[in-house]
Amino acid sequence: VNAAEQLRQDINTLSPDLLIVELEHLAGVPSPREVLQAARMLLDTGGALLITGKSAQLAHFERSPDGFRPETSKKYKGYKSVLLNRV
């Protein structure tokens, strides 16, 4: 059981309305693909995923990742925040 599956079991049938992730490009930190996979498992339809990090790392989140719809994004001095809604 991975961490996202364990968390989903721990919170039973309740699903969070919002997940906030700060993406860092460091060894051992989950990749964007892993973040999206976990968010798909944890969020129900209508839930939101807010991701922040370096602009270059978040570039592909602005396209429509499977299971999410981009709502808005904001860039400031090399950093970016992207808000995605679960569909």
Side-chain angles (χ1 to χ4, degrees), residues 24-62:
E24 292 284 335
H25 187 64
L26 301 170
V29 173
S31 71
R33 181 177 33 228
E34 293 169 314
V35 168
L36 288 172
Q37 181 182 6
R40 274 187 214 100
M41 188 180 310
L42 294 169
L43 291 171
D44 286 335
T45 300
L49 173 62
L50 177 63
I51 305 171
T52 64
K54 293 274 191 175
S55 295
Q57 294 170 315
L58 295 177
H60 70 280
F61 282 106
E62 288 190 288

Side-chain angles (χ1 to χ4, degrees), residues 6-7 22 31 43 70 72:
Q6 184 62 50
L7 182 59
E22 184 172 349
S31 71
L43 291 171
T72 189

